[in-house]
Amino acid sequence: MSTILQAAPEAAQAPSGGRLNRLGAYTPSPAEIEHAARFRDYTVEYRPIRGRSITHHEDGFSRIGQISVDHDARLFKLYPYPHATTVDVRQMERTVAAIRSGYWGALPWQTSETGTQWATVAVRTSARRESEWPEVRVCKVESCQHFREWHRVDDEGSVRHFAVGADEPEGSPWQVGLQRTDDGPWQVSIDYAPDRPLTELEVAGLLSRIRWVAEDARRLNSPAVQEVPC
């Protein structure tokens, strides 16, 4: 069970009735700002969420996700709702920054049966015209560089993952790595724009790198390597 971290005594306590965050109309007290220092080393992870959807309300705000706090793990967990956009995840990140600056009391915190504290995050509907902003998807591929972050969804409705450790050293004349779509296998990708012939040593290095990356692709494509469940 997560430890419940109480707000500073001088903080305005947020009711649990589901009201929206009011960051723009809230002024934290000196005690709240001092209290917020403990959040500065909390890490941030994105997680997928099921059974939720973005809703637009007559108050001019859209509910676009949830944020929860695990005080034992010193972790913020961000849950953008399905079909969230880059505007939405930036709003969630701004909310984390606000909490670190003393705005804990501006959020409509609720406490689950397991002791987790969570709040709904909203953004002005007029700021998130969905046709103008790319959709995002939380990364569930553990071997991807962006695991538990987010990807932009491409025009075909998919995202592209890049394997951890696939980057070449700075200054390398090529980039050999691994990438995949949501439903596809890991594949070797080679990015080389020749502006000069390669030396014999560079050719040997490139071939060695391709063999090493191809072996890594076989390992990652094995049945033993699975996505993290939702």
Side-chain angles (χ1 to χ4, degrees), residues 2 100 120 192 196:
S2 298
R100 288 172 170 161
T120 299
Y192 172 53
R196 59 174 177 79

Side-chain angles (χ1 to χ4, degrees), residues 24-111:
Y26 190 85
T27 302
S29 70
E32 288 180 284
I33 294 172
E34 181 180 358
H35 177 78
R38 69 191 64 196
F39 296 120
R40 291 173 187 165
D41 64 346
Y42 279 35
T43 56
V44 175
E45 290 183 355
Y46 282 86
R47 302 293 179 90
I49 188 169
R50 293 175 174 174
R52 301 284 184 174
S53 61
I54 293 174
T55 55
H56 311 292
H57 294 255
E58 293 180 357
D59 59 8
F61 283 85
S62 298
R63 282 63 165 172
I64 48 87
Q66 294 177 5
I67 179 171
S68 71
V69 185
D70 185 335
H71 299 295
D72 292 336
R74 306 184 73 79
L75 176 67
F76 290 108
K77 296 178 183 178
L78 307 185
Y79 298 86
Y81 292 161
H83 306 296
T85 69
T86 53
V87 167
D88 302 325
V89 293
R90 297 306 184 198
Q91 175 68 9
M92 301 185 84
E93 291 165 1
R94 284 192 293 269
T95 301
V96 171
I99 293 170
R100 288 172 170 161
S101 298
Y103 286 78
W104 176 275
L107 294 171
W109 294 106
Q110 301 185 58
T111 303

Side-chain angles (χ1 to χ4, degrees), residues 47 54-55 64 68 70 78 91 106 121-124 126-127 139 153 159 165 168 190 207 210 213 225:
R47 302 293 179 90
I54 293 174
T55 55
I64 48 87
S68 71
D70 185 335
L78 307 185
Q91 175 68 9
V121 180
V123 66
R124 288 190 181 277
S126 60
C139 181
V153 178
V159 300
E168 300 289 351
I190 304 173
L207 294 176
I210 292 173
V213 172
V225 180

Side-chain angles (χ1 to χ4, degrees), residues 138-222:
V138 174
C139 181
K140 301 180 295 179
V141 179
E142 192 169 7
S143 49
C144 180
Q145 292 177 352
H146 302 288
F147 175 57
R148 288 184 173 163
E149 297 177 4
W150 53 269
H151 295 282
R152 296 189 182 196
V153 178
D154 64 24
D155 293 339
E156 298 178 353
S158 185
V159 300
R160 191 162 296 278
H161 303 276
F162 298 90
V164 172
D167 288 339
E168 300 289 351
E170 185 176 355
S172 175
W174 62 77
Q175 290 286 325
V176 180
L178 291 173
Q179 57 181 274
R180 56 166 283 192
T181 59
D182 272 343
D183 300 323
W186 287 104
Q187 296 179 321
V188 178
S189 63
I190 304 173
D191 184 9
Y192 172 53
D195 57 358
R196 59 174 177 79
L198 296 178
T199 67
E200 292 183 6
L201 185 61
E202 288 173 333
V203 170
L206 174 58
L207 294 176
S208 176
R209 177 64 171 165
I210 292 173
R211 284 193 295 269
W212 183 88
V213 172
E215 179 59 34
D216 208 30
R218 282 190 289 272
R219 178 184 65 81
L220 291 174
N221 288 329
S222 69

